[in-house]
């Protein structure tokens, strides 16, 4: 089982950037916690952060045939990127969208996610713990997919 974690623009600035909104934790510390969960549950995990939309599109495409699930915080591209949405739609993998802040409590332009309709679910407003919730949720989703495939094989 392999999960790819994709982090959008400015998330490399966590711990420095608007601490009142995003908290003091650095991205690498969030990733260390996720790695710990992955190791305990025998899951392969890879991390990718980019400030560039096209690089995120490329990384999503690379997940095809390589990853079982995607956890993505598209950051500001959440509200603007049809390209990232289309890439997610193309690869058709179980995907969870994460936001540290509650995007629905903030400025109106953050209330719309172009990404959410092509995701299995969304976690918003739980801070860094949201990534842990996404790991638990993705594990459950992937186990369900595995069980459904096994049942299909049995029925054939
Ligand atoms: C964010 C919310 C976005 O609106 C914002 O542009 C970000 C971070 C979050 O994690 O809360 O960069 O995705």
């Amino acid at each position: 089982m392999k999960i790819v974690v994709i982090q959008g623009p400015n998330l490399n600035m966590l711990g420095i950037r608007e601490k009142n909104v995003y908290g003091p934790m650095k991205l690498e510390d969030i990733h260390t916690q996720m790695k710990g969960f992955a190791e305990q549950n025998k899951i392969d995990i890879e991390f990718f952060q980019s400030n560039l939309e096209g690089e995120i599109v490329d990384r999503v495409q690379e997940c095809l045939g390589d990853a079982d699930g995607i956890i993505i915080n598209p950051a500001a591209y959440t509200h603007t990127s049809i390209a990232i949405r289309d890439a997610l739609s193309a690869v058709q993998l179980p995907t969870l969208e994460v936001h540290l802040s509650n995007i629905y409590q903030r400025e109106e332009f953050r209330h719309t996610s172009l990404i959410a309709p092509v995701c299995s679910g969304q976690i918003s407003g739980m801070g860094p713990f949201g990534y842990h919730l996404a790991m638990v949720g993705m594990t459950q989703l992937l186990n369900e997919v595995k069980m459904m495939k096994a049942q299909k094989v049995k029925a054939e």
Side-chain angles (χ1 to χ4, degrees), residues 9-65:
N10 299 306
L11 293 173
N12 56 318
M13 298 285 283
L14 287 181
I16 300 167
R17 168 190 192 207
E18 297 176 272
K19 284 194 205 171
N20 57 323
V21 179
Y22 300 113
M25 208 165 168
K26 289 186 180 149
L27 191 63
E28 62 190 64
D29 296 331
I30 293 175
H31 289 174
T32 302
Q33 285 187 352
M34 295 175 89
K35 221 171 154 186
F37 179 92
E39 274 165 16
Q40 277 166 20
N41 291 279
K42 298 188 171 39
I43 297 166
D44 288 337
I45 193 158
E46 265 180 28
F47 300 97
F48 177 78
Q49 189 278 327
S50 176
N51 295 323
L52 304 178
E53 186 177 22
E55 285 188 0
I56 296 171
V57 169
D58 284 344
R59 190 64 192 91
V60 169
Q61 289 182 9
E62 282 163 19
C63 288
L64 192 63

Side-chain angles (χ1 to χ4, degrees), residues 84-100:
I84 294 174
R85 176 196 171 122
D86 284 352
L88 288 168
S89 216
V91 299
Q92 289 278 308
L93 288 170
T95 299
L96 290 174
E97 177 186 347
V98 177
H99 298 288
L100 294 147

Side-chain angles (χ1 to χ4, degrees), residues 114-129:
L114 298 184
I115 308 301
V118 297
C119 289
S120 317
Q122 185 195 61
I123 297 158
S124 178
M126 296 299 290
F129 190 64

Side-chain angles (χ1 to χ4, degrees), residues 108-138:
E108 211 168 318
F109 64 85
R110 294 186 205 272
H111 295 184
T112 303
S113 168
L114 298 184
I115 308 301
V118 297
C119 289
S120 317
Q122 185 195 61
I123 297 158
S124 178
M126 296 299 290
F129 190 64
Y131 287 99
H132 176 73
L133 293 176
M135 287 298 289
V136 175
M138 184 56 73

